[in-house]
Amino acid sequence: MRTDVLIVGAGPTGLALGIDLARRGVDALVVEKAAALFPGSRGKGLQPRTLEVFDDLGVLDAIRAMGGRIPVGMIWQDGQRMGEHQMFDPVEVTEDSPYAEPWMVPQWRTQEILRDRLTELGGRIVFGREVTGLTQDADGVTAHCADGPDIRARYAVAADGGRSAVRRALGIAMTGEPVDPNPMLVADVRLTGLDRDNWHIFPPRGDGDGFLAICPLAGTGEFQVVAQFPEGAAVDVSPDGVRKVVADRSHLAPGAVTEVRWASDFRPRQALADRFRSGRVLLAGDAAHIHSPAGGQGLNTSVQDAYNLGWKLGAVLAEGAAEALLDTYEEERRPVAAQMLDLTTSVHRGETRRGAATRQLGLGYRDSSLAEETRTAPGPVRAGDRAPDGTLGGVRLFDAFRGPHWTLLAVAAEAPAGLPESVRVVAGEEQASYGQGLFLVRPDGYVGWAGENPEGAAKYLARVTR
């Protein structure tokens, strides 16, 4: 079996990467050792920047239809409502940031939507195929499977989670530490006795047990249960164990939990891979960084890994770009992952609120070798920054960016001639978010080059894409 890109893992990372490559005409194969998609809600919060990515990948409408806003927290004590708690700092929608608030969709639903989009684009997924090791040579990668034939690819991407078999096969270490010594339970249940308008929080009662949180899962009839246990405690993930912890820590009876659809335990920790690339194999998502679930950054950071890597693999495989372009994946994404690990750990420990930083709209790549700012007086948006939404010359910018192409914005400036036909040009006299100048927006929605000299745009594109 042969393919251009082998993606190991059919989680949000692998599926998003598969979509991005499929729309670029790159032959990619997603393989997943499990027999089906992950069944749990675990990563249920989608941040605004991820919603922008999903807009571009063509799945935002489905995500919006199948999800909902983050509920307001409700604190309970002794069966009484004690008051509301805002889970995230409120924020207003603006023209440059149309998706301002997080959106709740259970992870299993997000993966179904991504899978359906990948299938629509002609992408391939094989379930029940476990990659146990791989070898590399100058021309490609050979993946060895527990059952079935080897798979030959020009590149491989490890998106197979925190216990990544591919990462271990490469000998890449992860540096990290426990975030919290207390084990946790997470479960998807059906229950009665609680409304679906609130995220129900039952604080510790002082008897040694930790908190209990019960959150309605938007677009379903289910709730997610999260419970913290004392250090060293055994976590019972059986249906009776889930019912017991709910009854012990709330005013609900065990029978209020009518069904346990999925349950798991975990120990919150953070870890970062020492490298994101080894030859023709790249790490993405949890295979590269493991987060505490606090603040909802893990899945979001992972999807954005895929979004950063997709256009670069496409440029190398389909457009003749130099292989060195792939080195910028680790250069750009590893610092972001490290920053997000610090953030999630701080949120978990109660040191930071879920505010602007968790929305990920301020992340960028100003220090990247791909960021080239040549203006004498840069404005509010600089090379390396996220390209905001807005209107220029009567065109909505996110509409202009949507698709696997580069975009040139000419704001009160002369649009350059001689650009490839694949570059979309949008011109106008005023754009408050950007200021004046020329802006080359990368396929992943970040400004690559900003300048005043029209010749600079073509030179930059030649440097990056050839």
Side-chain angles (χ1 to χ4, degrees):
M1 184 178 295
R2 290 181 174 271
T3 187
D4 284 335
V5 180
L6 172 65
I7 302 169
V8 184
T13 312
L15 294 171
L17 179 58
I19 291 169
D20 205 8
L21 293 175
R23 67 178 184 159
R24 297 174 189 283
V26 174
D27 182 36
L29 173 66
V30 180
V31 296
E32 168 58 50
K33 71 176 182 179
L37 295 175
F38 173 73
S41 65
R42 185 174 290 145
K44 64 183 181 299
L46 300 177
Q47 300 296 340
R49 179 55 187 157
T50 303
L51 297 179
E52 294 179 355
V53 173
F54 284 169
D55 182 344
D56 184 35
L57 296 182
V59 298
L60 182 63
D61 287 347
I63 288 289
R64 301 285 284 188
M66 294 294 184
R69 291 181 168 86
I70 304 294
V72 174
M74 177 59 66
I75 308 296
W76 289 83
Q77 186 174 354
D78 299 327
Q80 301 296 316
R81 296 174 184 260
M82 303 304 294
E84 294 184 347
H85 170 71
Q86 292 292 338
M87 306 301 292
F88 288 84
D89 288 343
V91 64
E92 294 184 4
V93 171
T94 59
E95 185 183 34
D96 63 1
S97 302
Y99 316 121
E101 62 179 342
W103 196 249
M104 181 178 288
V105 184
Q107 182 174 329
W108 62 265
R109 179 81 80 188
T110 297
Q111 291 181 197
E112 286 183 347
I113 291 169
L114 293 172
R115 177 204 59 197
D116 291 348
R117 176 61 171 157
L118 178 57
T119 302
E120 177 187 1
L121 293 171
R124 297 181 292 158
I125 310 174
V126 176
F127 290 98
R129 182 67 60 85
E130 180 181 2
V131 173
T132 57
L134 48 81
T135 54
Q136 300 190 59
D137 55 43
D139 298 319
V141 180
T142 301
H144 311 294
C145 302
D147 50 21
D150 290 349
I151 303 172
R152 181 69 176 171
R154 294 173 67 182
Y155 293 94
V157 178
D160 52 341
R163 297 183 177 90
S164 172
V166 175
R167 186 189 66 238
R168 292 198 300 270
L170 294 170
I172 297 177
M174 291 195 89
T175 302
E177 62 181 7
V179 171
D180 187 334
N182 300 296
M184 307 280 286
L185 165 75
V186 59
D188 294 351
V189 308
R190 291 184 179 272
L191 58 78
T192 60
L194 291 176
D195 66 76
R196 299 190 60 82
D197 298 323
N198 292 112
W199 190 326
H200 304 279
I201 302 166
F202 302 85
R205 297 178 301 184
D207 55 3
D209 285 336
F211 70 84
L212 170 71
I214 302 178
C215 179
L217 293 171
T220 76
E222 302 171 15
F223 291 78
Q224 183 193 67
V225 170
V226 177
Q228 183 187 58
F229 290 81
E231 182 177 1
V235 179
D236 184 354
V237 299
S238 71
D240 285 345
V242 175
R243 291 186 175 96
K244 184 177 188 304
V245 74
V246 169
D248 286 350
R249 302 188 191 184
S250 76
H251 57 279
L252 300 177
V257 179
T258 59
E259 183 180 4
V260 178
R261 299 179 63 85
W262 169 81
S264 180
D265 65 325
F266 67 97
R267 273 68 176 168
R269 62 186 294 258
Q270 64 147 324
L272 181 66
D274 293 350
R275 292 176 288 148
F276 280 20
R277 183 183 183 189
S278 176
R280 289 179 171 266
V281 185
L282 302 107
L283 309 184
D286 287 354
H289 42 80
I290 301 171
H291 303 250
S292 159
Q297 303 300 294
L299 182 152
N300 294 274
T301 302
S302 299
V303 166
Q304 291 165 54
D305 287 347
Y307 197 49
N308 182 286
L309 182 56
W311 75 268
K312 295 173 181 178
L313 280 168
V316 171
L317 290 168
E319 301 168 18
E323 189 183 32
L325 179 62
L326 298 179
D327 291 333
T328 68
Y329 168 67
E330 177 178 317
E331 177 192 355
E332 293 184 341
R333 292 306 299 170
R334 193 170 185 276
V336 167
Q339 182 180 346
M340 292 299 98
L341 286 172
D342 289 343
L343 176 63
T344 54
T345 299
S346 180
V347 171
H348 186 105
R349 293 173 175 168
E351 300 163 353
T352 302
R353 279 191 56 80
R354 298 171 177 87
T358 62
R359 292 193 284 273
Q360 299 199 355
L361 296 175
L363 296 176
Y365 309 121
R366 284 191 182 183
D367 295 331
S368 168
S369 60
L370 295 183
E372 193 171 314
E373 175 61 65
T374 66
R375 291 172 295 169
T376 55
V381 173
R382 302 186 181 193
D385 290 351
R386 162 189 165 270
D389 197 8
T391 303
L392 180 63
V395 176
R396 184 193 175 193
L397 295 182
F398 274 12
D399 289 343
F401 299 158
R402 192 178 299 112
H405 56 265
W406 290 76
T407 307
L408 188 285
L409 305 182
V411 186
E414 178 186 355
L419 294 177
E421 292 184 1
S422 58
V423 178
R424 180 168 183 179
V425 178
V426 182
E429 292 304 313
E430 185 177 356
Q431 222 307 313
S433 295
Y434 288 80
Q436 293 186 345
L438 299 167
F439 304 85
L440 262 176
V441 179
R442 300 172 2 173
D444 61 348
Y446 290 87
V447 177
W449 172 90
E452 298 158 339
N453 182 351
E455 295 179 358
K459 290 179 180 179
Y460 174 86
L461 277 175
R463 175 174 77 84
V464 172
T465 62
R466 291 292 180 267

PDB file of all heavy atoms in Angstrom, residues 53 110 115 124 159 167 184 188 212 240 252 281 283 299 314 357 368 395 402 409 415 439-440 450 462 466:
ATOM      1  N   VAL A  53     -10.395  28.179  11.853  1.00  0.00           N
ATOM      2  CA  VAL A  53      -9.806  27.088  11.067  1.00  0.00           C
ATOM      3  C   VAL A  53     -10.910  26.234  10.455  1.00  0.00           C
ATOM      4  O   VAL A  53     -10.866  25.880   9.264  1.00  0.00           O
ATOM      5  CB  VAL A  53      -8.883  26.233  11.950  1.00  0.00           C
ATOM      6  CG1 VAL A  53      -8.399  25.002  11.191  1.00  0.00           C
ATOM      7  CG2 VAL A  53      -7.686  27.046  12.433  1.00  0.00           C
ATOM      8  N   THR A 110     -17.353  16.213  17.039  1.00  0.00           N
ATOM      9  CA  THR A 110     -16.384  16.932  16.195  1.00  0.00           C
ATOM     10  C   THR A 110     -15.701  15.970  15.245  1.00  0.00           C
ATOM     11  O   THR A 110     -15.534  16.257  14.051  1.00  0.00           O
ATOM     12  CB  THR A 110     -15.345  17.641  17.075  1.00  0.00           C
ATOM     13  OG1 THR A 110     -16.006  18.629  17.882  1.00  0.00           O
ATOM     14  CG2 THR A 110     -14.276  18.310  16.234  1.00  0.00           C
ATOM     15  N   ARG A 115     -14.689  13.604   9.958  1.00  0.00           N
ATOM     16  CA  ARG A 115     -14.651  12.394   9.129  1.00  0.00           C
ATOM     17  C   ARG A 115     -15.547  12.534   7.915  1.00  0.00           C
ATOM     18  O   ARG A 115     -15.155  12.177   6.784  1.00  0.00           O
ATOM     19  CB  ARG A 115     -15.101  11.188   9.959  1.00  0.00           C
ATOM     20  CG  ARG A 115     -15.179   9.872   9.169  1.00  0.00           C
ATOM     21  CD  ARG A 115     -16.134   8.902   9.828  1.00  0.00           C
ATOM     22  NE  ARG A 115     -17.486   9.457   9.935  1.00  0.00           N
ATOM     23  CZ  ARG A 115     -18.416   8.955  10.749  1.00  0.00           C
ATOM     24  NH1 ARG A 115     -18.150   7.928  11.528  1.00  0.00           N
ATOM     25  NH2 ARG A 115     -19.629   9.511  10.791  1.00  0.00           N
ATOM     26  N   ARG A 124      -9.209   9.057   2.560  1.00  0.00           N
ATOM     27  CA  ARG A 124      -9.290   7.649   2.945  1.00  0.00           C
ATOM     28  C   ARG A 124      -8.976   7.472   4.430  1.00  0.00           C
ATOM     29  O   ARG A 124      -8.022   8.064   4.938  1.00  0.00           O
ATOM     30  CB  ARG A 124      -8.314   6.808   2.127  1.00  0.00           C
ATOM     31  CG  ARG A 124      -8.596   6.781   0.622  1.00  0.00           C
ATOM     32  CD  ARG A 124      -7.574   5.906  -0.083  1.00  0.00           C
ATOM     33  NE  ARG A 124      -6.232   6.498  -0.042  1.00  0.00           N
ATOM     34  CZ  ARG A 124      -5.099   5.806  -0.196  1.00  0.00           C
ATOM     35  NH1 ARG A 124      -5.154   4.487  -0.360  1.00  0.00           N
ATOM     36  NH2 ARG A 124      -3.938   6.415  -0.179  1.00  0.00           N
ATOM     37  N   ALA A 159      -0.057  11.281  14.646  1.00  0.00           N
ATOM     38  CA  ALA A 159      -1.173  11.943  15.316  1.00  0.00           C
ATOM     39  C   ALA A 159      -1.888  10.912  16.183  1.00  0.00           C
ATOM     40  O   ALA A 159      -3.110  10.917  16.305  1.00  0.00           O
ATOM     41  CB  ALA A 159      -2.131  12.553  14.286  1.00  0.00           C
ATOM     42  N   ARG A 167       6.010   8.006  17.926  1.00  0.00           N
ATOM     43  CA  ARG A 167       7.021   8.799  18.642  1.00  0.00           C
ATOM     44  C   ARG A 167       8.012   7.892  19.363  1.00  0.00           C
ATOM     45  O   ARG A 167       9.223   8.129  19.338  1.00  0.00           O
ATOM     46  CB  ARG A 167       6.347   9.733  19.643  1.00  0.00           C
ATOM     47  CG  ARG A 167       7.319  10.702  20.324  1.00  0.00           C
ATOM     48  CD  ARG A 167       6.675  11.475  21.458  1.00  0.00           C
ATOM     49  NE  ARG A 167       6.291  10.605  22.557  1.00  0.00           N
ATOM     50  CZ  ARG A 167       5.062  10.486  23.031  1.00  0.00           C
ATOM     51  NH1 ARG A 167       4.073  11.184  22.512  1.00  0.00           N
ATOM     52  NH2 ARG A 167       4.795   9.653  24.028  1.00  0.00           N
ATOM     53  N   MET A 184      -8.377  11.764  38.104  1.00  0.00           N
ATOM     54  CA  MET A 184      -9.660  12.315  37.667  1.00  0.00           C
ATOM     55  C   MET A 184     -10.478  11.236  36.962  1.00  0.00           C
ATOM     56  O   MET A 184      -9.939  10.335  36.319  1.00  0.00           O
ATOM     57  CB  MET A 184      -9.444  13.477  36.700  1.00  0.00           C
ATOM     58  CG  MET A 184      -8.513  14.567  37.196  1.00  0.00           C
ATOM     59  SD  MET A 184      -9.292  15.712  38.318  1.00  0.00           S
ATOM     60  CE  MET A 184     -10.299  16.656  37.188  1.00  0.00           C
ATOM     61  N   ASP A 188     -19.317  10.181  30.104  1.00  0.00           N
ATOM     62  CA  ASP A 188     -20.499  10.677  29.400  1.00  0.00           C
ATOM     63  C   ASP A 188     -21.695   9.872  29.883  1.00  0.00           C
ATOM     64  O   ASP A 188     -21.687   8.633  29.800  1.00  0.00           O
ATOM     65  CB  ASP A 188     -20.346  10.515  27.889  1.00  0.00           C
ATOM     66  CG  ASP A 188     -19.250  11.386  27.312  1.00  0.00           C
ATOM     67  OD1 ASP A 188     -18.726  12.235  28.048  1.00  0.00           O
ATOM     68  OD2 ASP A 188     -18.915  11.206  26.125  1.00  0.00           O
ATOM     69  N   LEU A 212     -16.924  17.716  42.011  1.00  0.00           N
ATOM     70  CA  LEU A 212     -17.712  17.047  40.981  1.00  0.00           C
ATOM     71  C   LEU A 212     -18.267  18.125  40.073  1.00  0.00           C
ATOM     72  O   LEU A 212     -18.787  19.133  40.548  1.00  0.00           O
ATOM     73  CB  LEU A 212     -18.855  16.247  41.608  1.00  0.00           C
ATOM     74  CG  LEU A 212     -19.917  15.685  40.643  1.00  0.00           C
ATOM     75  CD1 LEU A 212     -19.333  14.547  39.820  1.00  0.00           C
ATOM     76  CD2 LEU A 212     -21.150  15.215  41.418  1.00  0.00           C
ATOM     77  N   ASP A 240     -21.430   1.464  37.880  1.00  0.00           N
ATOM     78  CA  ASP A 240     -21.769   1.615  39.295  1.00  0.00           C
ATOM     79  C   ASP A 240     -20.825   2.598  39.986  1.00  0.00           C
ATOM     80  O   ASP A 240     -21.243   3.351  40.884  1.00  0.00           O
ATOM     81  CB  ASP A 240     -21.714   0.261  39.998  1.00  0.00           C
ATOM     82  CG  ASP A 240     -22.913  -0.619  39.671  1.00  0.00           C
ATOM     83  OD1 ASP A 240     -23.913  -0.082  39.147  1.00  0.00           O
ATOM     84  OD2 ASP A 240     -22.842  -1.839  39.919  1.00  0.00           O
ATOM     85  N   LEU A 252     -28.179  14.074  44.025  1.00  0.00           N
ATOM     86  CA  LEU A 252     -28.832  13.101  43.155  1.00  0.00           C
ATOM     87  C   LEU A 252     -28.680  11.688  43.713  1.00  0.00           C
ATOM     88  O   LEU A 252     -27.664  11.355  44.332  1.00  0.00           O
ATOM     89  CB  LEU A 252     -28.220  13.160  41.751  1.00  0.00           C
ATOM     90  CG  LEU A 252     -28.315  14.497  41.018  1.00  0.00           C
ATOM     91  CD1 LEU A 252     -27.602  14.409  39.679  1.00  0.00           C
ATOM     92  CD2 LEU A 252     -29.768  14.915  40.820  1.00  0.00           C
ATOM     93  N   VAL A 281       9.284  12.086   9.198  1.00  0.00           N
ATOM     94  CA  VAL A 281       8.163  11.865  10.119  1.00  0.00           C
ATOM     95  C   VAL A 281       7.997  13.100  11.001  1.00  0.00           C
ATOM     96  O   VAL A 281       8.970  13.626  11.554  1.00  0.00           O
ATOM     97  CB  VAL A 281       8.396  10.629  11.000  1.00  0.00           C
ATOM     98  CG1 VAL A 281       7.163  10.352  11.859  1.00  0.00           C
ATOM     99  CG2 VAL A 281       8.722   9.409  10.141  1.00  0.00           C
ATOM    100  N   LEU A 283       5.542  15.028  14.147  1.00  0.00           N
ATOM    101  CA  LEU A 283       4.618  14.795  15.260  1.00  0.00           C
ATOM    102  C   LEU A 283       3.604  15.924  15.328  1.00  0.00           C
ATOM    103  O   LEU A 283       3.961  17.089  15.162  1.00  0.00           O
ATOM    104  CB  LEU A 283       5.360  14.732  16.588  1.00  0.00           C
ATOM    105  CG  LEU A 283       6.570  13.815  16.719  1.00  0.00           C
ATOM    106  CD1 LEU A 283       7.089  13.844  18.162  1.00  0.00           C
ATOM    107  CD2 LEU A 283       6.230  12.393  16.306  1.00  0.00           C
ATOM    108  N   LEU A 299      -7.072  20.002  22.405  1.00  0.00           N
ATOM    109  CA  LEU A 299      -7.610  19.705  21.079  1.00  0.00           C
ATOM    110  C   LEU A 299      -7.398  20.879  20.138  1.00  0.00           C
ATOM    111  O   LEU A 299      -7.056  20.694  18.959  1.00  0.00           O
ATOM    112  CB  LEU A 299      -9.099  19.358  21.196  1.00  0.00           C
ATOM    113  CG  LEU A 299      -9.845  18.972  19.917  1.00  0.00           C
ATOM    114  CD1 LEU A 299     -10.998  18.030  20.262  1.00  0.00           C
ATOM    115  CD2 LEU A 299     -10.417  20.183  19.178  1.00  0.00           C
ATOM    116  N   GLY A 314       1.566  20.247   1.549  1.00  0.00           N
ATOM    117  CA  GLY A 314       1.015  20.449   0.218  1.00  0.00           C
ATOM    118  C   GLY A 314       1.962  21.193  -0.697  1.00  0.00           C
ATOM    119  O   GLY A 314       2.107  20.858  -1.884  1.00  0.00           O
ATOM    120  N   ALA A 357      -6.304  34.833  26.438  1.00  0.00           N
ATOM    121  CA  ALA A 357      -5.244  33.929  25.995  1.00  0.00           C
ATOM    122  C   ALA A 357      -5.796  32.574  25.580  1.00  0.00           C
ATOM    123  O   ALA A 357      -5.275  31.949  24.646  1.00  0.00           O
ATOM    124  CB  ALA A 357      -4.200  33.764  27.096  1.00  0.00           C
ATOM    125  N   SER A 368       9.189  33.755  13.456  1.00  0.00           N
ATOM    126  CA  SER A 368       9.447  32.695  12.479  1.00  0.00           C
ATOM    127  C   SER A 368      10.305  33.201  11.331  1.00  0.00           C
ATOM    128  O   SER A 368      10.237  34.379  10.938  1.00  0.00           O
ATOM    129  CB  SER A 368       8.109  32.175  11.936  1.00  0.00           C
ATOM    130  OG  SER A 368       8.302  31.355  10.803  1.00  0.00           O
ATOM    131  N   VAL A 395     -15.180  43.240  -0.047  1.00  0.00           N
ATOM    132  CA  VAL A 395     -15.012  41.782   0.059  1.00  0.00           C
ATOM    133  C   VAL A 395     -14.752  41.407   1.512  1.00  0.00           C
ATOM    134  O   VAL A 395     -13.875  42.005   2.158  1.00  0.00           O
ATOM    135  CB  VAL A 395     -13.840  41.297  -0.822  1.00  0.00           C
ATOM    136  CG1 VAL A 395     -13.604  39.801  -0.638  1.00  0.00           C
ATOM    137  CG2 VAL A 395     -14.101  41.632  -2.282  1.00  0.00           C
ATOM    138  N   ARG A 402     -10.632  31.853   2.409  1.00  0.00           N
ATOM    139  CA  ARG A 402     -11.102  30.472   2.453  1.00  0.00           C
ATOM    140  C   ARG A 402     -10.625  29.694   1.232  1.00  0.00           C
ATOM    141  O   ARG A 402     -10.900  30.054   0.098  1.00  0.00           O
ATOM    142  CB  ARG A 402     -12.622  30.425   2.555  1.00  0.00           C
ATOM    143  CG  ARG A 402     -13.188  29.050   2.889  1.00  0.00           C
ATOM    144  CD  ARG A 402     -14.705  29.075   3.032  1.00  0.00           C
ATOM    145  NE  ARG A 402     -15.124  29.971   4.107  1.00  0.00           N
ATOM    146  CZ  ARG A 402     -15.775  31.107   3.927  1.00  0.00           C
ATOM    147  NH1 ARG A 402     -16.078  31.501   2.686  1.00  0.00           N
ATOM    148  NH2 ARG A 402     -16.120  31.851   4.947  1.00  0.00           N
ATOM    149  N   LEU A 409      -3.389  41.186   0.142  1.00  0.00           N
ATOM    150  CA  LEU A 409      -4.220  42.337   0.474  1.00  0.00           C
ATOM    151  C   LEU A 409      -3.444  43.602   0.155  1.00  0.00           C
ATOM    152  O   LEU A 409      -2.311  43.785   0.620  1.00  0.00           O
ATOM    153  CB  LEU A 409      -4.587  42.335   1.959  1.00  0.00           C
ATOM    154  CG  LEU A 409      -5.255  41.077   2.513  1.00  0.00           C
ATOM    155  CD1 LEU A 409      -5.591  41.267   3.989  1.00  0.00           C
ATOM    156  CD2 LEU A 409      -6.501  40.723   1.711  1.00  0.00           C
ATOM    157  N   ALA A 415      -1.308  47.136  -6.013  1.00  0.00           N
ATOM    158  CA  ALA A 415      -1.199  45.689  -6.033  1.00  0.00           C
ATOM    159  C   ALA A 415      -0.080  45.267  -6.973  1.00  0.00           C
ATOM    160  O   ALA A 415       0.033  45.792  -8.088  1.00  0.00           O
ATOM    161  CB  ALA A 415      -2.514  45.065  -6.470  1.00  0.00           C
ATOM    162  N   PHE A 439      -0.041  42.946   2.147  1.00  0.00           N
ATOM    163  CA  PHE A 439      -0.001  41.845   3.103  1.00  0.00           C
ATOM    164  C   PHE A 439      -0.203  40.524   2.349  1.00  0.00           C
ATOM    165  O   PHE A 439      -1.248  40.325   1.734  1.00  0.00           O
ATOM    166  CB  PHE A 439      -1.095  41.992   4.153  1.00  0.00           C
ATOM    167  CG  PHE A 439      -1.058  43.293   4.911  1.00  0.00           C
ATOM    168  CD1 PHE A 439      -1.676  44.433   4.387  1.00  0.00           C
ATOM    169  CD2 PHE A 439      -0.406  43.393   6.128  1.00  0.00           C
ATOM    170  CE1 PHE A 439      -1.648  45.641   5.070  1.00  0.00           C
ATOM    171  CE2 PHE A 439      -0.371  44.590   6.820  1.00  0.00           C
ATOM    172  CZ  PHE A 439      -0.989  45.725   6.289  1.00  0.00           C
ATOM    173  N   LEU A 440       0.773  39.658   2.401  1.00  0.00           N
ATOM    174  CA  LEU A 440       0.620  38.315   1.850  1.00  0.00           C
ATOM    175  C   LEU A 440       0.155  37.397   2.972  1.00  0.00           C
ATOM    176  O   LEU A 440       0.879  37.184   3.950  1.00  0.00           O
ATOM    177  CB  LEU A 440       1.947  37.804   1.281  1.00  0.00           C
ATOM    178  CG  LEU A 440       2.160  37.934  -0.215  1.00  0.00           C
ATOM    179  CD1 LEU A 440       3.567  37.469  -0.588  1.00  0.00           C
ATOM    180  CD2 LEU A 440       1.122  37.123  -0.999  1.00  0.00           C
ATOM    181  N   ALA A 450       4.765  41.460   4.879  1.00  0.00           N
ATOM    182  CA  ALA A 450       4.091  42.762   4.840  1.00  0.00           C
ATOM    183  C   ALA A 450       5.097  43.788   4.368  1.00  0.00           C
ATOM    184  O   ALA A 450       6.243  43.818   4.834  1.00  0.00           O
ATOM    185  CB  ALA A 450       3.556  43.138   6.221  1.00  0.00           C
ATOM    186  N   ALA A 462       8.590  33.465  -3.937  1.00  0.00           N
ATOM    187  CA  ALA A 462       9.614  32.618  -4.560  1.00  0.00           C
ATOM    188  C   ALA A 462      10.504  31.979  -3.494  1.00  0.00           C
ATOM    189  O   ALA A 462      10.888  30.813  -3.613  1.00  0.00           O
ATOM    190  CB  ALA A 462      10.458  33.441  -5.526  1.00  0.00           C
ATOM    191  N   ARG A 466       9.318  27.898  -3.427  1.00  0.00           N
ATOM    192  CA  ARG A 466      10.146  27.256  -4.454  1.00  0.00           C
ATOM    193  C   ARG A 466      11.434  26.708  -3.865  1.00  0.00           C
ATOM    194  O   ARG A 466      11.891  27.149  -2.839  1.00  0.00           O
ATOM    195  CB  ARG A 466      10.465  28.249  -5.585  1.00  0.00           C
ATOM    196  CG  ARG A 466       9.245  28.621  -6.418  1.00  0.00           C
ATOM    197  CD  ARG A 466       8.733  27.436  -7.229  1.00  0.00           C
ATOM    198  NE  ARG A 466       7.577  27.785  -8.029  1.00  0.00           N
ATOM    199  CZ  ARG A 466       6.317  27.622  -7.626  1.00  0.00           C
ATOM    200  NH1 ARG A 466       6.068  27.126  -6.438  1.00  0.00           N
ATOM    201  NH2 ARG A 466       5.310  27.920  -8.409  1.00  0.00           N
TER     202      ARG A 466
END
